[in-house]
């Protein structure tokens, strides 16, 4: 697959019967590292601006929509599988768990913190399962916290199913509580991605349409700010 928002696969080399995959290089690492791990380093990441968050969210959506148009389900969307460059352009990676839609898997697959409730409960994977995982990435961008950050890794699948998913669905509650503060556009898209019933979730075309308008708003604000700066100088 060749797409500006998907990491370019360049070839394979063999050394002493060991296979190495060759891809393009992005030195800035993953979105997960930028949001969570770099905070504890001496060289701390600068907080993402609202404009950068929308740019990242839009480009991930475009990448996901592209693979769906090729009849591919990612099946492991998460911030660790989104690489960023110095200009905050993204590249989607890791298709090791991906399937063609005609061969959609049934049962648990992916990484529990980002996985849709129907998959945690053994259902069949669909486009809307990817949408749910995408929504969890948006929650990370909004809150800058790992999903279910208060749950230990070894408990996460059981705890998500028991506490955060099945009980909330039974009680007709939101699976994830979206904060009332933070980026306006993300706050309004996330609930549509994280609905319990896959059929009720937004599709990627709808998401791209909303985020494209948001991205344009930020670009126009930048142009106005630049014009004002030029006028004052």
């Amino acid at each position: 697959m060749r797409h500006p928002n998907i990491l370019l696969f360049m070839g394979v080399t063999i050394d002493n019967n060991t296979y190495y995959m060759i891809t393009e290089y992005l030195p800035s690492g993953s979105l997960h590292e930028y949001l969570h791990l770099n905070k504890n380093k001496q060289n701390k990441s600068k907080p993402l601006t609202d404009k950068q968050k929308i740019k990242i969210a839009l480009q991930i959506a475009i990448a996901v929509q592209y693979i769906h148009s090729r009849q591919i389900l990612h099946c492991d969307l998460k911030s660790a599988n989104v690489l960023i460059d110095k200009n905050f352009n993204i590249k989607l990676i890791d298709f090791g768990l991906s399937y063609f839609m005609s061969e959609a898997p049934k049962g648990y697959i992916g990484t529990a913190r980002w996985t849709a409730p129907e998959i945690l409960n053994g259902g069949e994977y669909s486009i809307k399962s990817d949408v749910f995982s995408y929504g969890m990435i948006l929650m990370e961008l909004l809150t800058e916290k790992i999903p279910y950050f208060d749950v230990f890794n070894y408990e996460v699948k059981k705890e998500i199913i028991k506490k955060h998913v099945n009980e909330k669905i039974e009680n007709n509650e939101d699976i994830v509580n979206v904060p009332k503060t933070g980026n306006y556009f993300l706050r309004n898209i996330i609930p549509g991605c994280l609905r319990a019933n896959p059929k009720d979730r937004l599709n990627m075309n709808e998401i791209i349409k909303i985020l494209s308008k948001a991205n344009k708003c930020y670009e126009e604000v930048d142009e106005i700010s630049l014009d004002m700066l030029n006028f004052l100088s």
Side-chain angles (χ1 to χ4, degrees):
M1 293 184 292
R2 286 183 176 267
H3 187 275
N5 297 122
I6 293 176
L7 191 71
L8 180 63
F9 171 75
M10 303 174 75
V12 173
T13 185
I14 307 172
D15 181 34
N16 292 328
N17 293 321
T18 301
Y19 288 76
Y20 296 92
M21 187 167 63
I22 303 168
T23 68
E24 63 181 312
Y25 177 59
L26 271 76
S28 298
S30 72
L31 179 60
H32 180 88
E33 290 171 326
Y34 192 92
L35 289 174
H36 311 303
L37 303 184
N38 290 351
K39 287 180 178 178
N40 301 321
K41 293 181 180 177
Q42 245 179 349
N43 242 342
K44 288 185 179 179
S45 302
K46 290 182 180 178
L48 292 171
T49 64
D50 278 354
K51 181 182 178 182
Q52 289 166 339
K53 289 180 179 181
I54 293 299
K55 178 180 181 178
I56 290 168
L58 175 59
Q59 289 191 9
I60 298 171
I62 290 169
V64 174
Q65 172 61 13
Y66 173 74
I67 66 170
H68 286 173
S69 74
R70 301 292 296 269
Q71 301 299 300
I72 295 169
L73 301 166
H74 191 281
C75 300
D76 197 20
L77 288 174
K78 56 185 178 182
S79 56
N81 285 338
V82 176
L83 300 186
I84 55 175
D85 68 15
K86 63 181 181 180
N87 296 315
F88 297 97
N89 295 300
I90 74 96
K91 301 277 184 178
L92 190 61
I93 65 166
D94 195 354
F95 293 86
L97 295 179
S98 299
Y99 281 82
F100 285 109
M101 291 179 188
S102 59
E103 302 168 353
K106 189 173 182 180
Y108 176 66
I109 187 172
T111 306
R113 291 180 189 273
W114 291 264
T115 301
E118 66 274 15
I119 307 309
L120 288 167
N121 285 304
E124 186 173 318
Y125 210 96
S126 71
I127 284 175
K128 294 300 183 74
S129 307
D130 271 348
V131 170
F132 186 95
S133 299
Y134 170 78
M136 295 302 280
I137 296 175
L138 296 191
M139 274 291 289
E140 281 185 88
L141 282 171
L142 179 63
T143 65
E144 299 188 5
K145 292 178 180 177
I146 298 171
Y148 311 108
F149 64 93
D150 53 341
V151 181
F152 292 109
N153 279 315
Y154 67 86
E155 294 178 324
V156 73
K157 185 181 175 185
K158 179 184 71 175
E159 287 300 319
I160 289 178
I161 292 173
K162 184 180 176 182
K163 265 188 180 175
H164 302 291
V165 179
N166 293 338
E167 287 182 1
K168 285 183 177 286
I169 291 172
E170 286 171 13
N171 296 330
N172 200 27
E173 297 174 357
D174 292 333
I175 293 172
V176 175
N177 296 319
V178 180
K180 294 182 179 180
T181 57
N183 187 280
Y184 169 83
F185 297 102
L186 295 182
R187 284 191 288 115
N188 280 274
I189 293 172
I190 289 169
C193 296
L194 301 184
R195 289 173 185 146
N197 188 333
K199 292 179 182 178
D200 294 336
R201 292 173 199 153
L202 294 171
N203 62 53
M204 295 313 299
N205 283 330
E206 292 170 322
I207 293 166
I208 289 169
K209 189 174 179 181
I210 296 167
L211 289 173
S212 294
K213 288 181 179 178
N215 195 50
K216 189 175 180 183
C217 286
Y218 285 111
E219 287 176 352
E220 288 174 352
V221 167
D222 279 354
E223 286 177 10
I224 292 169
S225 298
L226 185 60
D227 288 343
M228 182 63 71
L229 184 64
N230 289 334
F231 173 77
L232 292 173
S233 60

